Amino acid sequence: MSVLKLEYKRILKTRSTVIIFAAALLISALLAYLPTTFAYSAYINEAGEMVELRGLKSIRYEQTLQQGISARVDGEDFRYAVETYQACLNEYGLENSYELPGEVYTQRITPVAPLLSGLKEVFADPTTGIQPTVMQIDPSLAENFYELSKSALFSQAQRSLPEAALKQAVRLYDKVAVPFVFSPASNPNAMDYQVLCAFIVMLLCSVVVSPIYSSNYQTGADDILRCTKHGRVRLALCSAFVALSLSAAVFIACTGVYILLSNSFFGWECVKTSIQLMYSALNLAALDMGGLQLTVFLGCLLSVLATVSFSLFISSKVKNNVTSLCASIFTCLAPVLIYLAVPGSFGLLLRCLVPSAGSCLQSSILYALTDFEFLTFGNLSLWSPFAMMIFGAISVPLFSGLAVWGYAGHGSK
Amino acid sequence: MELTIDSVTKRFKEKVAVKEVSLEITPGVWGLLGANGAGKTTLMRMAAGIMKPDGGQIRCEGIPINVLKEKYREIFGYLPQEFGFYPEFTAIDYLEYMAGLKGLTRRAAKVKIEELLERFSLTQAAKMKISKMSGGTKRRVGIAQALLNDPKILIMDEPTGGLDPGERVRFRNLLSEASRDRIVLISTHIVSDVEYIASRIAVMKQGSLIALGSTPELVQMARGKVYTCLVPQDKLAEYERKLNIVNLRNEQEGKVSLRYLSQSPLTEDSQADEPRLEDLYLYLFPNETKEAE
Ligand SMILES: Nc1ncnc2c1ncn2[C@@H]1O[C@H](COP(=O)(O)OP(=O)(O)OP(=O)(O)O)[C@@H](O)[C@H]1O
Ligand SMILES: [Mg+2]
């Protein structure tokens, strides 16, 4: 009888495990639905009544409003956006768009809104980085958006990065495809929830995995297992493999459900939208939203596996389940704690090193991908998402290897 | 088959739990007797390879067990004093799981498990969660587990703990039956568990081996040290203080018959009696008189 099969059977027969995994799936579906509820738009219908739309209806309505922006956003679109904005605010004699009545905003600003924040970044002051308001932008210059964006990136990098990183930033930004692509009603909110979903799966997997070895020590089952033919290295290997493969399966299932549902709600077209229109226009990742979903998916998968490996390692070292559980949960939360407690480049290094980095909310790979942080070692520099991926890929074999070794050699003092 | 324990020592900080114990264990039932804390469990854990001795060596057929590794574990069966298991397992799940770890094929496991369930009257309880079983039933599952791979070397740490008298007798019979061509080492503080079935008995005290032999040989050590006498009921308390009493029985006319241990008779009417293994145990562990059965 294969030990691996028996080990799968043992874990899957544990009722709490099954419940936890089912809960993870359900939570993923709920999380996919949640960001749709934030959508809001309002308009005046033919009868002169105000109609307020929320949720999926609002998203569908936004899709019709933003048809005007061409799929490939060119300089012309940027100029049109500035002109539209300025005309509308001048008409109402206002300085800020948030002072507009809701239905006016929906009707006139929403159709061009996705292009506005990028414009402000590109027209920022090169030395101070201070951004103008849209009212201060010269519409005729807005046509040169793509040329301006390269120099804006250079200034931003010069302001905030050391020499080595600057070059890498410029190299990365050169790879970003222009003109940007836009699909109506694209929205970055759903990405945050994909990370939240990964984070919850990571926590739940850690809970399931943390007692795998330690419970053997705690119940004393270890004494008997250890005296059997396959009870040492082979059992340790099989347990680790089962933990990793089940975690991967659950993660893939949950994130899969999330992405499928989310894209169905927001429209599958949205995956083609350039992330530069959803996040910073100076974003370094040459990705569209679909690519971002996939990259975040991979980054989170790596971090979930790294965290599971680390939990296994802890489990092989401590004598009881509670300690193991606490340590695993702490590991999941560590990046956020480091983020709050350790500033600067050392904090960044720590955050990238912790196995749970990729899926941990504010420190996650999504934030790294949409941010401008580089690890620098002398002349070498590494963009933080790369660092997370590399450390994650090293952590998985490292910690699961240590776990197997730890379990097989446990107590042989 | 020969299991050699060669001047094995184990220390826990200051405490020496096992002190230079040497034993040449051959096929048959071997009893390991000793009071609480004598070092039985520690010695057995070392023989099971789950604890390393600080000094000395354990060999199977002349080869150290830490060299044999898997080959040793393949012919080994172990029941620890504290029987741990995964709480979600039923008896049958557990035995299947253990059979897999012991390297049995699916078919061999099925046959063996059925046989063991039958033999330990566990057929009824087969689908019951182990965590819900009574202590004695749990113990039987533990014993069954140790026997799954037909071990050539079987070590059981207090296997009879929690068994009712009927089960205990059945277990004894089973052991002597099973021990024909294998080594069976069981520890106990219940003398009657090993008195009749053990071919050899080793007695441990405070980490050291203090006696070794067959039951009749060991009983000889107590010869001339066991006496009986009749005393009046009302003087009993006085005698209890004075004598190392093994047993007492109410007789007619307000008299009590006492059985006690001593180097020489302590009352006028005392008569020397035929010693039993229990007398020796109590002779060797006088302080444990109250705790022992
Ligand atoms: N892990 C340990 N750490 C420290 N001391 C220990 C440990 N295990 C056993 N001891 C000590 O070693 C001595 C021998 O213990 P052991 O469990 O071997 O005795 P035993 O003969 O099996 O007793 P019992 O009949 O109560 O099971 C005891 O004094 C015990 O306190
Ligand atoms: Mg013991």
Side-chain angles (χ1 to χ4, degrees):
Chain A
M1 270 187 296
S2 109
V3 178
L4 188 64
K5 224 189 266 170
L6 288 166
E7 199 60 9
Y8 270 117
K9 194 171 152 192
R10 178 174 79 79
I11 305 267
L12 290 175
K13 259 206 160 175
T14 313
R15 192 180 311 154
S16 56
T17 306
V18 178
I19 293 173
I20 286 175
F21 286 164
L25 264 182
L26 193 71
I27 290 171
S28 311
L30 286 178
L31 284 179
Y33 178 69
L34 201 59
T36 67
T37 61
F38 306 150
Y40 169 86
S41 36
Y43 66 93
I44 309 278
N45 67 9
E46 286 129 35
E49 296 157 345
M50 171 120 114
V51 181
E52 287 186 297
L53 296 173
R54 284 172 210 279
L56 288 175
K57 279 193 192 127
S58 166
I59 292 171
R60 299 284 166 266
Y61 180 62
E62 250 177 66
Q63 278 169 346
T64 63
L65 282 180
Q66 294 178 341
Q67 293 297 348
I69 306 176
S70 47
R72 300 172 72 77
V73 185
D74 50 24
E76 192 63 26
D77 289 304
F78 282 104
R79 195 190 65 187
Y80 174 73
V82 176
E83 284 171 354
T84 310
Y85 185 93
Q86 294 181 347
C88 176
L89 264 72
N90 286 335
E91 202 173 296
Y92 283 84
L94 294 172
E95 275 299 309
N96 292 300
S97 54
Y98 58 76
E99 292 170 290
L100 287 169
E103 71 281 6
V104 177
Y105 187 94
T106 304
Q107 289 283 290
R108 307 211 22 202
I109 306 295
T110 302
V112 296
L115 309 188
L116 297 175
S117 72
L119 278 163
K120 286 191 278 185
E121 285 178 87
V122 162
F123 282 92
D125 185 292
T127 43
T128 62
I130 295 171
Q131 299 184 355
T133 65
V134 181
M135 296 304 283
Q136 293 163 341
I137 296 173
D138 179 348
S140 58
L141 288 180
E143 239 172 86
N144 304 327
F145 181 86
Y146 292 108
E147 290 87 73
L148 289 170
S149 69
K150 304 250 166 187
S151 52
L153 176 96
F154 191 79
S155 329
Q156 180 181 336
Q158 230 172 7
R159 282 197 306 275
S160 59
L161 296 177
E163 188 66 21
L166 185 146
K167 280 193 207 125
Q168 216 201 347
V170 171
R171 230 183 359 257
L172 285 166
Y173 196 67
D174 275 340
K175 297 214 181 87
V176 172
V178 288
F180 297 155
V181 177
F182 181 77
S183 308
S186 292
N187 185 323
N189 287 345
M191 286 309 304
D192 289 331
Y193 287 83
Q194 184 180 330
V195 172
L196 182 57
C197 174
F199 178 73
I200 290 172
V201 171
M202 177 168 80
L203 265 181
L204 295 179
C205 286
S206 299
V207 170
V208 169
V209 162
S210 70
I212 278 201
Y213 298 121
S214 60
S215 79
N216 288 354
Y217 307 149
Q218 184 176 321
T219 60
D222 185 54
D223 281 353
I224 297 182
L225 300 175
R226 204 162 280 280
C227 289
T228 61
K229 187 180 179 193
H230 300 314
R232 297 193 180 185
V233 178
R234 187 176 309 194
L235 176 61
L237 269 175
C238 290
S239 300
F241 186 81
V242 168
L244 286 168
S245 59
L246 282 182
S247 302
V250 169
F251 177 82
I252 291 170
C254 289
T255 312
V257 163
Y258 181 91
I259 290 179
L260 277 178
L261 288 178
S262 176
N263 287 355
S264 315
F265 294 144
F266 285 97
W268 282 91
E269 282 298 301
C270 294
V271 300
K272 296 193 203 124
T273 299
S274 305
I275 65 167
Q276 282 73 16
L277 291 174
M278 295 288 106
Y279 297 91
S280 162
L282 306 182
N283 202 291
L284 299 177
L287 294 169
D288 54 23
M289 289 303 279
L292 185 66
Q293 279 179 341
L294 209 63
T295 312
V296 169
F297 169 80
L298 285 177
C300 290
L301 176 60
L302 261 182
S303 77
V304 168
L305 293 181
T307 307
V308 164
S309 303
F310 191 72
S311 297
L312 285 172
F313 169 63
I314 296 170
S315 187
S316 76
K317 288 287 169 199
V318 302
K319 288 207 172 60
N320 67 71
N321 295 343
V322 176
T323 317
S324 180
L325 182 67
C326 292
S328 296
I329 290 177
F330 180 78
T331 310
C332 291
L333 297 173
V336 175
L337 301 178
I338 296 169
Y339 183 77
L340 295 174
V342 191
S345 53
F346 182 63
L348 178 65
L349 175 65
L350 279 184
R351 272 187 283 137
C352 293
L353 275 174
V354 176
S356 59
S359 301
C360 191
L361 309 174
Q362 266 89 337
S363 309
S364 69
I365 187 131
L366 172 66
Y367 282 70
L369 278 166
T370 53
D371 208 333
F372 217 66
E373 293 188 299
F374 285 77
L375 289 181
T376 47
F377 317 91
N379 282 335
L380 293 175
S381 77
L382 195 58
W383 192 29
S384 59
F386 293 153
M388 280 182 188
M389 294 272 204
I390 292 168
F391 293 142
I394 295 171
S395 298
V396 178
L398 175 69
F399 288 119
S400 35
L402 284 174
V404 169
W405 194 47
Y407 182 74
H410 181 85
S412 57
K413 284 164 269 156
Chain B
M1 185 60 44
E2 190 176 61
L3 184 67
T4 313
I5 295 173
D6 186 1
S7 50
V8 163
T9 298
K10 182 74 192 179
R11 253 175 246 106
F12 295 109
K13 300 215 176 77
E14 294 302 294
K15 168 107 197 158
V16 186
V18 174
K19 211 180 295 177
E20 306 232 345
V21 170
S22 292
L23 273 175
E24 294 264 331
I25 308 176
T26 47
V29 177
W30 286 61
L32 189 56
L33 270 180
N36 291 125
K40 305 180 295 291
T41 298
T42 309
L43 183 67
M44 288 182 148
R45 285 171 67 84
M46 289 189 284
I50 49 184
M51 192 184 264
K52 265 201 190 136
D54 293 322
Q57 206 175 42
I58 293 161
R59 293 187 293 269
C60 176
E61 305 280 50
I63 306 170
I65 59 168
N66 51 347
V67 173
L68 286 171
K69 289 197 169 98
E70 204 176 287
K71 287 210 192 80
Y72 178 65
R73 301 203 298 271
E74 201 169 357
I75 56 159
F76 186 79
Y78 177 56
L79 173 69
Q81 186 168 358
E82 310 281 343
F83 167 47
F85 49 88
Y86 298 113
E88 297 266 335
F89 270 149
T90 64
I92 211 154
D93 289 337
Y94 178 66
L95 291 174
E96 260 178 23
Y97 185 77
M98 290 307 297
L101 284 181
K102 291 187 176 212
L104 270 68
T105 62
R106 179 177 292 277
R107 184 170 315 161
K110 197 170 178 322
V111 174
K112 194 76 205 172
I113 289 170
E114 226 151 81
E115 177 199 322
L116 287 169
L117 287 175
E118 179 86 13
R119 216 196 298 168
F120 288 97
S121 359
L122 285 166
T123 324
Q124 295 276 314
K127 296 242 162 70
M128 194 177 182
K129 274 197 183 169
I130 304 180
S131 53
K132 302 232 161 75
M133 288 177 177
S134 69
T137 316
K138 247 182 232 175
R139 202 110 274 262
R140 278 180 281 149
V141 176
I143 298 167
Q145 158 282 127
L147 290 168
L148 273 170
N149 56 331
D150 271 323
K152 290 270 169 266
I153 300 173
L154 178 60
I155 294 188
M156 295 196 267
D157 201 349
E158 298 191 19
T160 54
L163 296 190
D164 62 42
E167 278 300 333
R168 193 170 279 184
V169 170
R170 227 172 308 164
F171 173 69
R172 257 180 246 160
N173 295 341
L174 202 135
L175 268 196
S176 49
E177 209 178 287
S179 66
R180 228 157 291 148
D181 50 355
R182 71 178 96 196
I183 291 171
V184 179
L185 176 62
I186 64 174
S187 79
T188 180
H189 10 77
I190 300 162
V191 176
S192 58
D193 278 347
V194 287
E195 184 163 17
Y196 300 108
I197 58 159
S199 48
R200 310 284 283 172
I201 291 169
V203 186
M204 280 184 85
K205 186 174 182 177
Q206 288 167 6
S208 300
L209 197 64
I210 54 163
L212 173 67
S214 62
T215 304
E217 280 165 10
L218 288 179
V219 165
Q220 282 311 310
M221 293 173 66
R223 183 163 296 281
K225 290 168 184 126
V226 185
Y227 296 92
T228 55
C229 62
L230 271 178
V231 298
Q233 181 95 55
D234 49 354
K235 292 246 179 87
L236 182 59
E238 186 187 320
Y239 281 100
E240 272 185 328
R241 245 173 289 128
K242 223 161 59 181
L243 302 177
N244 183 3
I245 297 171
V246 197
N247 202 352
L248 43 89
R249 194 171 60 230
N250 284 315
E251 301 284 349
Q252 284 146 2
E253 295 160 20
K255 298 258 178 155
V256 183
S257 150
L258 296 184
R259 185 181 166 87
Y260 67 93
L261 294 170
S262 169
Q263 294 291 349
S264 54
L266 293 176
T267 63
E268 276 163 26
D269 66 336
S270 286
Q271 293 190 333
D273 201 358
E274 200 54 32
R276 292 202 314 257
L277 191 59
E278 194 177 24
D279 300 325
L280 176 76
Y281 183 92
L282 295 173
Y283 177 70
L284 293 173
F285 299 102
N287 302 331
E288 269 79 30
T289 314
K290 300 257 150 46
E291 286 159 46
E293 283 203 348

